[in-house]
């Protein structure tokens, strides 16, 4: 078949959304995913190669003559997957290992921000259990305790309770040797996915994740329980400040020190005055933010990601739908502390078709076992709606999720609550 051969690395909802976007791109001939999930297997070719096995991914890319590899998760980027692919002449969407340190080490990210004057929370590194009480006196509650490990958003404790904060600090010091204690930033969160290479950057529509497991933003942090885009908290004025104060300095810095051809995920806290500060950087697309961002791109996704991977982003134009998108995550029983898996998921082929209003189920932790879909992870899938208004997108997503059946599963009923005020 004519068109590019694209390999997507990963097996979550983000990768299913990327696979759908690639299948719909006129410039694409074949879409491969490794390892993929039950959802990607119905639209693309899955390969049983782990997303952390960088050597096997490079071999697979060579075997299928991939024109472009799009790397979903951070771990293979930190391990140098993009460097290895580029050394073989294969275009990779994802930064090199030097660029990926921005997510691989929160301490390094803080150092970079402080050096560049990028606005973020003050931070204290605590390496000794004997310093814990004194360090807690340095900040007002609530305390923000961050382990410096790749923990998918789950290595952070935000608490008003001094004992809980001190236990989190001690546990982290004992397991990792040190921990970061941060100033609490009040405000509303938003994420901006910035596609970049050395020639240019393009900000995709801002989105808002819902990180806490429970309604009303209660309970422990998760990888993300739902999202919507565009997020109105990112007004034009806020976006201009984000670009000027955060994206431009980061772009200039990254272009100088690394081969940063990929996505910079800017996690923001926006205070009541509209002042943005960085909560975190990730070096990849967000999950579930991707599920609500990619469907809003109306131009060819392969052209966008391929141009970034080849360093020619400044040559292309991107267009967006003037729609809204909302996704609701269906999580396994016990998630986020422990997830019960291996259960049948019914109804995951539900969809709504239309030009203006459409929706589908993005698979995440699923696999096919003898033609049946079975859960394999904490976040099993998410139901996504796209429509002219956010309330219609929400209606589609909730109608789709009510058609899913998975024993013991749970989902939040209030995704989009800051805008929809149900
Ligand atoms: P992170 O893994 O750094 O994104 O943190 C996970 C979540 O903890 C964020 O999405 C925020 O909801 C919260 N958080 C992290 N750092 C801060 C901070 N300094 N102030 C307020 N909330 C924070
Ligand atoms: N949704 C948060 C993340 O992708 O890190």
């Amino acid at each position: 078949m004519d068109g590019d051969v694209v390999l997507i690395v990963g097996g979550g909802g983000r990768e299913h959304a990327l696979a759908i976007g690639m299948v719909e791109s006129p410039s694409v001939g074949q879409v491969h995913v490794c390892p993929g999930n039950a959802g990607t297997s119905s639209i693309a070719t899955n390969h049983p190669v782990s997303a952390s096995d960088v050597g096997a991914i490079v071999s697979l890319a060579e075997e299928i003559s991939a024109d472009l590899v799009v790397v979903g998760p951070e771990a293979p980027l930190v391990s140098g997957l993009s460097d290895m692919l580029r050394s073989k002449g294969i275009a990779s969407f994802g930064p090199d290992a030097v660029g990926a340190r921005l997510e691989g080490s929160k301490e390094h990210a803080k150092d970079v921000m402080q050096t560049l004057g990028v606005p973020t929370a003050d931070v204290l590194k605590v390496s000794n259990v004997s310093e814990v009480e004194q360090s807690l006196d340095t900040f007002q509650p609530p305390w923000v305790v961050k382990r410096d490990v790749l923990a998918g958003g789950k290595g952070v404790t935000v608490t008003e309770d001094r004992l809980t904060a001190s236990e989190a600090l001690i546990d982290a010091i004992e397991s990792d040797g040190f921990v970061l204690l941060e100033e609490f930033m009040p405000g509303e969160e938003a994420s901006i996915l910035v596609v970049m290479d050395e020639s240019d950057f393009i900000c995709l529509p801002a989105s808002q994740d819902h990180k806490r497991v429970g309604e009303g933003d209660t309970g422990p942090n998760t990888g993300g329980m739902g999202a919507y885009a565009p997020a109105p908290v990112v007004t034009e004025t806020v976006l201009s400040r984000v670009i000027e104060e955060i994206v431009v300095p980061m772009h200039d810095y990254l272009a100088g020190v690394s081969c940063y051809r990929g996505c910079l995920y800017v996690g923001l806290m926006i205070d009541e005055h509209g002042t943005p500060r960085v909560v975190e950087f990730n070096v990849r697309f967000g999950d579930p933010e991707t599920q609500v961002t990619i469907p809003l791109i109306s131009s060819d996704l392969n052209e966008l990601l391929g141009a970034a991977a080849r360093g020619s982003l400044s040559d292309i134009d991107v267009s967006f739908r003037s729609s809204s998108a909302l996704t609701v995550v269906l999580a396994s029983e016990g998630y986020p502390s422990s997830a019960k898996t291996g259960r049948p998921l019914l109804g995951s082929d539900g969809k709504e078709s239309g030009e203006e209003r459409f929706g589908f189920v993005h698979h995440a932790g699923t696999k096919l076992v003898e033609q049946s879909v079975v859960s394999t992870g904490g976040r099993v899938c998410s139901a996504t709606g796209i429509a002219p208004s956010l309330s219609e997108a929400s209606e589609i997503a909730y109608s789709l999720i009510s058609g899913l059946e998975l024993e013991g599963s749970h989902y939040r009923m209030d995704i989009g609550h800051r805008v929809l005020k149900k």
Side-chain angles (χ1 to χ4, degrees), residues 106 110 120-122 142 144-146 152-158 182-187 189 209 211-212 221-222 265 267-269 278-282:
K106 286 180 189 286
K110 279 284 178 193
T120 185
D122 283 344
V144 180
V145 179
K146 287 193 181 179
K154 286 168 272 175
V156 178
T157 307
V158 181
E182 257 192 35
E183 168 199 3
F184 177 81
M185 297 186 284
E189 281 184 80
D209 189 5
K211 297 215 167 140
R212 301 294 190 105
N221 266 320
T222 68
Y265 169 121
L268 293 166
M269 189 68 79
V278 175
V279 177
E280 62 163 347
F281 286 125
N282 294 320

Side-chain angles (χ1 to χ4, degrees), residues 151-224:
K154 286 168 272 175
V156 178
T157 307
V158 181
T159 179
E160 299 256 2
D161 181 54
R162 190 168 172 123
L163 188 62
T164 309
S166 120
E167 280 171 4
L169 286 167
I170 292 168
D171 285 353
I173 294 168
E174 283 173 352
S175 69
D176 311 332
F178 73 98
V179 62
L180 303 177
L181 181 63
E182 257 192 35
E183 168 199 3
F184 177 81
M185 297 186 284
E188 191 171 332
E189 281 184 80
S191 315
I192 304 187
L193 305 178
V194 186
V195 174
M196 65 166 68
D197 66 9
E198 60 275 27
S199 74
D200 206 354
F201 62 81
I202 295 173
C203 296
L204 304 184
S207 52
Q208 189 169 70
D209 189 5
H210 297 61
K211 297 215 167 140
R212 301 294 190 105
V213 73
E215 274 151 30
D217 298 320
T218 53
N221 266 320
T222 68

Side-chain angles (χ1 to χ4, degrees), residues 14 209 211 223-224 265 280 282 284-289 379:
R14 164 182 55 209
D209 189 5
K211 297 215 167 140
Y265 169 121
E280 62 163 347
N282 294 320
R284 48 160 177 88
F285 285 120
D287 190 335
E289 289 93 334
R379 293 189 291 175

Side-chain angles (χ1 to χ4, degrees), residues 118-141:
V118 166
T120 185
D122 283 344
V123 68
L124 192 66
K125 180 176 176 179
V126 191
S127 312
N128 202 309
V129 173
S130 65
E131 300 160 14
V132 162
E133 289 309 318
Q134 201 189 345
S135 69
L136 288 170
D137 293 335
T138 317
F139 295 104
Q140 303 287 326

Side-chain angles (χ1 to χ4, degrees), residues 346-417:
L346 303 179
S348 61
D349 51 358
K351 58 161 72 96
E352 171 149 340
S353 306
E355 274 288 303
E356 295 257 288
R357 289 171 49 97
F358 54 97
F360 32 76
V361 176
H362 284 116
H363 284 238
T366 68
K367 68 171 178 192
L368 275 182
V369 178
E370 291 168 4
Q371 306 309 312
S372 299
V373 180
V374 172
S375 64
T376 60
R379 293 189 291 175
V380 178
C381 60
S382 70
T384 308
I386 297 99
S389 71
L390 189 63
S391 57
E392 290 168 277
S394 164
E395 272 168 37
I396 297 169
Y398 277 104
S399 151
L400 283 172
I401 207 163
S402 68
L404 295 171
E405 281 179 45
L406 174 70
E407 188 196 331
S409 61
H410 56 100
Y411 60 88
R412 279 180 60 166
M413 282 302 296
D414 66 344
I415 302 303
H417 64 94

